Amino acid sequence: MRNKLGLLGAALIVALATPLPAAAQTRVPDAGMWGLGFKAGVSMPFDDALSTAFDMGVSLEGYVTPRVSIRGQVAGTWFDIKGRPFGGTVSPMAMTGNVVYNWELGKWHPFATGGLGVYRVRFDENDLNSSDTKLGVDFGGGMEYFFTRRDVLMGEATVHFIGDDRVTSARSDYESRYWTILGGYKRYF
């Protein structure tokens, strides 16, 4: 009986020490991987004549190393005009390219990001439509939480600086800087 218990104990130790296929898989993210994400949240303008608004976007990231990725993103927001003698909306559409650096802390991956973009701002002021296009930069950071090996929930805060800090419509001009606070989902493949 003792030999059987000893043999069973040895088999249990060997079984626990043997790596399972899931443990032998490569890290996520890793060089050569891609991430496709969707984010939504709020935009907060620096201009008092614009109201806080809904923001959403989609991104595609390519990983150069496990820690560094290049991200392309398209996002848009719709600010309502307030406190002016006319109503309407100011709607920036951002097409940005960023470098993202992430730190690995188990299931949690904090990250920092910064990049350049083209911002096309559309204005609808009492049915007078116009637009302004400028180059800009954005900086921010956030956190990813891996709830499966390749699926993450994420949060991100970013500040956008557009052109010379003003955008001009056919009727007026506005402070162009704004913050975004977004949450979303990303899938690695």
Side-chain angles (χ1 to χ4, degrees), residues 91-151:
S91 306
M93 173 70 71
M95 292 155 281
T96 58
N98 285 36
V99 175
V100 182
Y101 186 88
N102 76 82
W103 293 267
E104 186 174 343
L105 302 173
K107 289 186 173 194
W108 296 93
H109 288 213
F111 63 89
T113 183
L116 301 171
V118 174
Y119 292 80
R120 174 126 174 115
V121 183
R122 292 168 298 153
F123 307 94
D124 178 8
E125 300 158 313
N126 281 1
D127 296 324
L128 177 61
N129 298 317
S130 58
S131 65
D132 194 3
T133 303
K134 294 193 175 189
L135 294 177
V137 297
D138 66 87
F139 301 99
M143 182 76 72
E144 291 183 349
Y145 173 74
F146 282 77
F147 64 93
T148 73
R149 182 161 180 74
R150 294 182 179 263
D151 299 286

Side-chain angles (χ1 to χ4, degrees), residues 58-74:
V58 63
S59 64
L60 181 64
E61 259 176 281
Y63 283 80
V64 181
T65 73
R67 304 284 62 91
V68 177
S69 64
I70 306 298
R71 175 173 70 188
Q73 180 171 281
V74 176

